[in-house]
Amino acid sequence: MRKLIEGAGKLGIKLTTRQVKQFELYYQELIEWNKKINLTAITDYSSVQVKHFLDSLTITLALSEKEVASPDFKIVDIGTGAGFPGVPLRILFPQPRLVLLEPTTKKTAFLHHIIRKLDLQSVEVLNSRAEEAAHLPAYREQFDLVLSRAVALLPTLVELALPFCRIGGRFIAQKKGEIEQEITGAKKAIAVLGGRLDQTKKIELDEFTDARYLVIIDKISSTPSEYPRRTGVPKRRPI
Ligand code: SAM
């Protein structure tokens, strides 16, 4: 885990021996399960450390110490897949409540397995699509922090994510490549859903050869009850 340890160091994170062991086990289980179900195309030891684990930890650049130390702080990871970025963040911060949202049952089976294997506490795995879960009172506008990586283009993604965010909370989308146009195209949707673009933070780490960003959107007013629209519509017809 040398690459992860070094990269995390550049983010100001000193991983403990236990955390390094958890990441090592996470890697082994990911590769083992990936033989049976499609969890990731990135499999070599070095790339997983950087492109999955370290990339997930870049979220810490937008978090405060107070937030991550609080058991009252609630985080949801939309379309978490094999657990990114939610699980690496949970390894780092045991306190906040974490919901991992993922509609593919095979992937949620892996998530249940890895939570047990790594002995992670207060993590809920929710086997649902964002379009459905966001209308349930237990999840709608309940989260201080909504995360999502590699799930949809921003105009669609904000409709899937912002309904989960409480007013005063924020949504952080992990994005890479040419994002200007994506952000411009999402402006209307952000406003309609009760958001306001706060900032786009560029990740400055030599470990990444491509441009990576955190797009940070504040939730400033309630999302109208008709959003998100029914399953598939946010993708087919973005606002
Ligand atoms: N976030 C993970 C990562 O960065 O490795 C997984 C990314 S994977 C490319 C996209 C994931 O989003 C898939 O696991 C898929 O099942 C999930 N997804 C797609 N549409 C979704 C929706 N409407 N609601 C929730 N999750 C969704």
Side-chain angles (χ1 to χ4, degrees):
M1 287 288 138
R2 192 178 52 82
K3 287 218 174 228
L4 174 63
I5 294 167
E6 274 177 26
K10 293 179 192 174
L11 296 171
I13 300 163
K14 190 171 171 355
L15 294 171
T16 64
T17 309
R18 178 169 193 264
Q19 288 164 341
V20 172
K21 279 190 185 146
Q22 285 173 309
F23 278 112
E24 184 68 48
L25 196 53
Y26 192 4
Y27 172 75
Q28 287 166 9
E29 295 297 323
L30 182 69
I31 298 309
E32 202 48 43
W33 277 61
N34 205 44
K35 292 176 186 163
K36 295 171 283 181
I37 61 171
N38 185 17
L39 290 172
T40 176
I42 298 165
T43 54
D44 79 83
Y45 189 55
S46 169
S47 301
V48 170
Q49 289 179 62
V50 173
K51 293 182 180 169
H52 282 326
F53 297 164
L54 182 61
D55 190 50
S56 297
L57 297 187
T58 61
I59 292 281
T60 58
L61 294 170
L63 302 181
S64 74
E65 279 185 27
K66 190 170 161 235
E67 286 171 335
V68 297
S70 168
D72 297 327
F73 195 68
K74 293 190 203 164
I75 306 174
V76 61
D77 180 5
I78 311 286
T80 189
F84 307 115
V87 172
L89 287 170
R90 164 50 92 238
I91 291 174
L92 216 60
F93 308 121
Q95 293 294 348
R97 188 185 143 201
L98 174 66
V99 175
L100 301 172
L101 177 73
E102 172 53 49
T104 309
T105 309
K106 284 180 180 172
K107 293 182 183 178
T108 56
F110 173 73
L111 293 169
H112 283 295
H113 169 77
I114 203 69
I115 287 164
R116 247 193 340 268
K117 201 83 185 170
L118 303 185
D119 193 24
L120 302 174
Q121 308 299 321
S122 65
V123 184
E124 179 188 349
V125 177
L126 183 59
N127 189 193
S128 175
R129 297 190 72 89
E131 292 94 325
E132 287 155 21
H135 286 286
L136 304 175
Y139 301 102
R140 189 172 184 86
E141 301 199 319
Q142 294 298 310
F143 294 88
D144 302 286
L145 179 65
V146 181
L147 303 173
S148 193
R149 188 185 87 147
V151 170
L153 289 171
L154 209 50
T156 298
L157 193 57
V158 289
E159 185 170 349
L160 302 180
L162 276 174
F164 288 93
C165 206
R166 71 165 175 83
I167 297 168
R170 65 200 188 282
F171 167 45
I172 305 179
Q174 288 188 269
K175 285 279 161 193
K176 56 181 176 180
E178 299 293 319
I179 56 161
E180 291 293 309
Q181 211 184 334
E182 223 183 301
I183 292 175
T184 308
K187 285 210 164 126
K188 184 178 169 209
I190 293 171
V192 167
L193 295 158
R196 183 178 59 200
L197 182 65
D198 169 30
Q199 57 169 311
T200 302
K201 218 176 171 69
K202 190 166 194 288
I203 307 298
E204 312 275 5
L205 280 183
D206 300 340
E207 277 79 355
F208 301 117
T209 47
D210 48 6
R212 295 185 181 220
Y213 305 88
L214 303 179
V215 180
I216 306 173
I217 297 167
D218 292 330
K219 180 82 176 263
I220 57 167
S221 59
S222 196
T223 299
S225 59
E226 65 263 38
Y227 298 106
R229 291 164 293 168
R230 64 176 195 284
T231 293
V233 179
K235 187 172 176 193
R236 271 200 311 281
R237 284 192 288 113
I239 297 169

